[in-house]
Amino acid sequence: MSKPTPNHFLRSIAKNDLANGKHEYVYTRFPPEPNGYLHLGHAKSICLNFGLAEDLGGKCNLRFDDTNPEKENLEFVESIRDSVEWLGFEWEKLCYASDYYDHLYGFALELIDKGLAYVDDLNAEQMREYRGTLTEPGTNSPSRERPVAENRDLFERMRAGEFAEGAYTLRAKIDMSSPNIVMRDPILYRIRYAHHYRAGDKWCIYPMYDFTHCISDALEGITHSLCTLEFQDNRELYDWVLANITIEENLVGEKGKVMPRQIEFGRSNLEYTVASKRKLIQLVNEGHVDGWDDPRLTTLVGLRRRGYTPQSIRDFCAEIGVTKKDSTIEMTVLENAIRHDLEASAKRVFGVLMPLKLVITNYPEGESETFTVKNHPKDESMGTREIPFGREVYIDHDDFMLDPPSKFFRLGPDREVRLRYGYAVTCNEVVQDSDGNVTELRCTYDPLTAKGKTPDGRKIKGIIHWVSATEAVDAEVRVYDRLYTEANPGAADDFVSLINPESLKVFPNAKIEPSVLEASTDDRFQFERVGYFCFDSVDHKESKVVMNRTVSLRDTWAKVGGK
RNA sequence: UGGGGUGUGGCCAAGUGGUUAAGGCACCGGAUUUUGAUUCCGGCAUUCGAAGGUUCGAAUCCUUCCACCCCAGCCA
């Protein structure tokens, strides 16, 4: 099932760098900011960075890009670590940009001393005005020609906490008329009196991303710094910083100096989902979903709770590829990945979501039997299990119609259907309540049809699943559907109004075959003819079975118009 | 209108001047099937954003044009 390694452009670059001796090894890093939970987009980056290193015999660090204390915390760090591990990747080193604050400060001093950075007293609004526009060059700040000694003094005092937030910034002295706005004297440091979840209160100045990221890469000996397309303009600054500081050695990386190269790749979006952190926070805070791990979300914790396997997500990432253009992936690609994995690995069981009692009137009262059935139709190594059968069983409401069309291969008045692994039964009587709802079916069975046999050779097209009425386990089953009614909810003004009201259907009275109770809590099942299910990691207890539908089976009947 | 990018079937995506333009997903047929599942076979771009040009030969090279995305946070 594991696919051949896809040869995308980044892999070609890395292999080429190895082949021509530019690098002796490939060293990548996955650098999330710990300001939220990881989602599928991050999985793409994780699979890319860790996968490339794995593939080419290199290394990959997990690095927290934690330079904005106001948004970051330990809970996110732990969740991110957990998700990366869950996906099955091992980092060479666990790093934090905040561990480089001392080094970073030193490099800032170096730039000041070289006359390549200056302390500016423009406020945010003034700075915007001086920056110019997309089509007009900026103008130099009055502080731009501040003498080196004064810059150094001011910067040291910024660090010492002598100034208010926003009073000063440290800026790189590059070119206010650069066509690339990133290069118009970018801010390197800002004053923030904020507690850092890791560095505590040691600092009141914090380095900006553009200054931090390239240096972090260099310190760790990263060879290929992969990031998304929107950082393409930042690459010029990335290179500028590294070209203008002195890195004697890679302080925490491999020996020898390497100049990391930033290369960008396109993001992938999934239809019917949103990935923006802001929107996810809104969904959680306004209670539209159950939390960051709501099974309808494509956060990694959500997908995990939904029943997605790490393998399926890795396969998905391999399937969508890596290119230099942003893409929008159809939901079926993700679904195919998990179906493919679970088809091979999930144990088959019977589960009935909407139970309809079926009484076999000619089956001896008080008697019962058990059938020994395969846990997987093709994989003998998965063994067998016993399922109890008796006079009363539950079948799914969907498998009965009062007035079925001819194409409906299931049960209806006077129709015959096979109870899978058991006998053929014919429906003789339909019991309805005063509202006309079907409440019970009374059938007769043909004792000669045990175990799939039909001695007289008659064809029984319909086969349905069932569960013993006396032995079945009660369960709550949650069936999920896409969270939005439109393919690109993120583009709408009010994405909340696009939430699919049927994204969660709860079946509180489901009946499941008893063998499920013997399984471990992270086992996954195929309810035959229905879909793939797992136990809900939050609400499932021994005393109350709660299961989630990961994904349905392909259903050509539903497509024809059955449901 | 400045700069940086991208355009191959419904969605992804190989392809880097030379057989009939890989593959996956989706879709449509058909076979097998005690899951309308799986599996299996078959179909699905005379055409690569457009128009010119170079060449014996182009999705691949050149020119022009068009479309879309990103950049004016003391976020990352």
Side-chain angles (χ1 to χ4, degrees):
Chain A
M1 94 147 302
S2 52
K3 302 176 162 55
T5 310
N7 194 30
H8 48 76
F9 78 104
L10 292 170
R11 193 173 115 102
S12 300
I13 290 173
K15 282 186 75 172
N16 198 40
D17 288 344
L18 255 21
N20 67 24
K22 180 177 180 187
H23 296 300
E24 286 171 22
Y25 51 85
V26 168
Y27 206 155
T28 56
R29 98 274 90 113
F30 171 61
E33 180 187 12
N35 68 346
Y37 289 83
L38 261 26
H39 55 73
L40 257 190
H42 294 107
K44 177 176 179 176
S45 176
I46 292 168
C47 290
L48 209 212
N49 280 292
F50 284 94
L52 191 63
E54 216 167 63
D55 176 30
L56 301 179
K59 298 168 179 178
C60 181
N61 289 349
L62 170 59
R63 178 168 76 228
F64 290 98
D65 214 343
D66 53 356
T67 54
N68 187 1
E70 283 152 335
K71 291 186 175 176
E72 300 152 1
N73 64 238
L74 206 52
E75 178 197 348
F76 294 137
V77 167
E78 280 164 2
S79 166
I80 289 168
R81 284 181 62 155
D82 194 54
S83 286
V84 173
E85 282 180 324
W86 176 68
L87 279 176
F89 293 106
E90 285 178 29
W91 46 84
E92 176 70 16
K93 292 193 173 76
L94 181 63
C95 306
Y96 298 82
S98 52
D99 283 355
Y100 308 142
Y101 282 173
D102 285 318
H103 297 305
L104 261 3
Y105 182 75
F107 290 125
L109 255 20
E110 180 183 354
L111 288 179
I112 290 171
D113 291 343
K114 285 177 171 171
L116 292 172
Y118 61 98
V119 172
D120 200 351
D121 48 28
L122 252 30
N123 64 34
E125 194 184 331
Q126 293 167 320
M127 192 128 4
R128 198 180 318 123
E129 284 161 9
Y130 276 83
R131 188 151 35 225
T133 69
L134 294 177
T135 52
E136 296 159 331
T139 52
N140 289 169
S141 164
S143 311
R144 202 168 195 267
E145 297 311 321
R146 198 190 295 279
V148 168
E150 195 180 322
N151 283 322
R152 191 159 174 130
D153 174 61
L154 249 18
F155 188 54
E156 283 168 354
R157 288 165 63 195
M158 277 169 67
R159 181 194 182 174
E162 290 189 25
F163 308 119
E165 276 189 17
Y168 291 100
T169 56
L170 181 72
R171 292 232 259 168
K173 194 183 207 172
I174 306 180
D175 179 7
M176 286 307 291
S177 60
S178 170
N180 181 358
I181 292 174
V182 171
M183 299 300 278
R184 317 241 264 231
D185 289 11
I187 294 175
L188 267 19
Y189 270 89
R190 75 284 211 186
I191 300 172
R192 271 300 107 86
Y193 291 93
H195 181 82
H196 189 279
Y197 76 98
R198 203 144 188 287
D201 297 310
K202 179 178 175 188
W203 296 85
C204 63
I205 57 172
Y206 289 92
M208 299 290 287
Y209 163 86
D210 284 305
F211 185 62
T212 308
H213 204 92
C214 52
I215 294 176
S216 303
D217 284 341
L219 291 176
E220 291 173 24
I222 300 302
T223 55
H224 302 266
S225 181
L226 313 180
C227 63
T228 43
L229 253 27
E230 68 270 27
F231 290 103
Q232 286 175 124
D233 290 345
N234 300 249
R235 188 176 60 236
E236 193 179 352
L237 178 52
Y238 182 105
D239 291 337
W240 183 92
V241 171
L242 291 184
N244 287 294
I245 60 170
T246 309
I247 292 195
E248 300 295 347
E249 57 182 321
N250 299 310
L251 300 170
V252 295
E254 293 288 303
K255 273 192 186 154
K257 201 156 129 184
V258 302
M259 194 55 79
R261 185 203 341 180
Q262 172 181 309
I263 314 173
E264 311 84 12
F265 62 92
R267 286 177 185 270
S268 289
N269 306 294
L270 227 212
E271 285 190 344
Y272 299 98
T273 64
V274 298
S276 121
K277 216 153 278 180
R278 200 204 100 233
K279 293 190 171 87
L280 287 176
I281 288 169
Q282 190 182 342
L283 287 176
V284 172
N285 289 349
E286 293 179 4
H288 299 110
V289 295
D290 192 26
W292 288 95
D293 63 348
D294 187 289
R296 291 165 293 184
L297 260 22
T298 49
T299 51
L300 263 21
V301 284
L303 288 165
R304 181 179 185 174
R305 187 172 169 194
R306 174 82 169 252
Y308 275 80
T309 57
Q311 185 62 51
S312 69
I313 290 171
R314 293 173 68 148
D315 286 348
F316 170 77
C317 291
E319 202 55 64
I320 63 177
V322 181
T323 65
K324 289 200 67 148
K325 71 175 181 195
D326 293 325
S327 59
T328 303
I329 314 292
E330 289 179 345
M331 190 63 102
T332 53
V333 180
L334 216 213
E335 292 177 344
N336 177 261
I338 186 60
R339 282 198 187 107
H340 186 71
D341 188 8
L342 262 19
E343 154 61 26
S345 63
K347 186 200 225 182
R348 312 289 128 124
V349 299
F350 283 164
V352 171
L353 267 38
M354 298 172 64
L356 205 209
K357 184 172 278 187
L358 185 157
V359 179
I360 303 166
T361 54
N362 61 339
Y363 193 89
E365 205 120 12
E367 234 175 76
S368 68
E369 56 192 300
T370 61
F371 304 129
T372 301
V373 305
K374 291 196 256 184
N375 287 330
H376 188 103
K378 289 177 181 164
D379 186 350
E380 300 286 338
S381 74
M382 289 178 71
T384 60
R385 68 187 191 281
E386 309 269 297
I387 53 175
F389 177 78
R391 190 169 188 270
E392 298 191 351
V393 300
Y394 291 113
I395 65 166
D396 227 302
H397 242 106
D398 285 346
D399 286 334
F400 177 83
M401 278 182 96
L402 261 181
D403 187 18
S406 60
K407 287 285 192 189
F408 186 76
F409 309 141
R410 308 179 191 180
L411 205 52
D414 302 316
R415 285 201 180 196
E416 184 178 42
V417 77
R418 173 173 294 285
L419 297 177
R420 176 154 226 240
Y421 297 126
Y423 304 96
V425 295
T426 302
C427 178
N428 311 114
E429 188 188 341
V430 178
V431 182
Q432 291 169 275
D433 65 16
S434 53
D435 296 327
N437 300 312
V438 177
T439 55
E440 184 178 308
L441 266 19
R442 299 183 73 79
C443 302
T444 51
Y445 83 117
D446 178 352
L448 299 178
T449 58
K451 296 186 174 157
K453 296 191 185 84
T454 41
D456 61 0
R458 71 179 186 274
K459 285 270 184 260
I460 302 172
K461 177 75 176 164
I463 298 158
I464 63 174
H465 57 97
W466 51 273
V467 97
S468 160
T470 52
E471 306 292 322
V473 174
D474 291 318
E476 175 180 315
V477 172
R478 299 169 182 174
V479 170
Y480 302 97
D481 196 358
R482 49 184 59 149
L483 224 204
Y484 298 96
T485 53
E486 296 204 3
N488 186 5
D493 298 330
D494 179 15
F495 75 104
V496 166
S497 69
L498 264 25
I499 290 177
N500 176 8
E502 308 210 320
S503 62
L504 168 60
K505 280 187 200 154
V506 177
F507 295 87
N509 306 309
K511 303 279 187 184
I512 297 171
E513 71 167 70
S515 77
V516 168
L517 286 190
E518 295 159 20
S520 80
T521 51
D522 50 334
D523 271 352
R524 286 157 233 262
F525 308 90
Q526 183 195 95
F527 288 6
E528 293 205 39
R529 304 207 311 127
V530 181
Y532 295 100
F533 294 79
C534 66
F535 293 111
D536 184 73
S537 56
V538 175
D539 298 321
H540 172 72
K541 300 184 200 75
E542 253 183 71
S543 56
K544 190 196 180 193
V545 177
V546 180
M547 300 189 79
N548 296 326
R549 187 182 75 181
T550 306
V551 67
S552 69
L553 250 34
R554 270 207 190 81
D555 188 351
T556 49
W557 167 245
K559 217 179 294 174
V560 173
K563 287 185 185 176

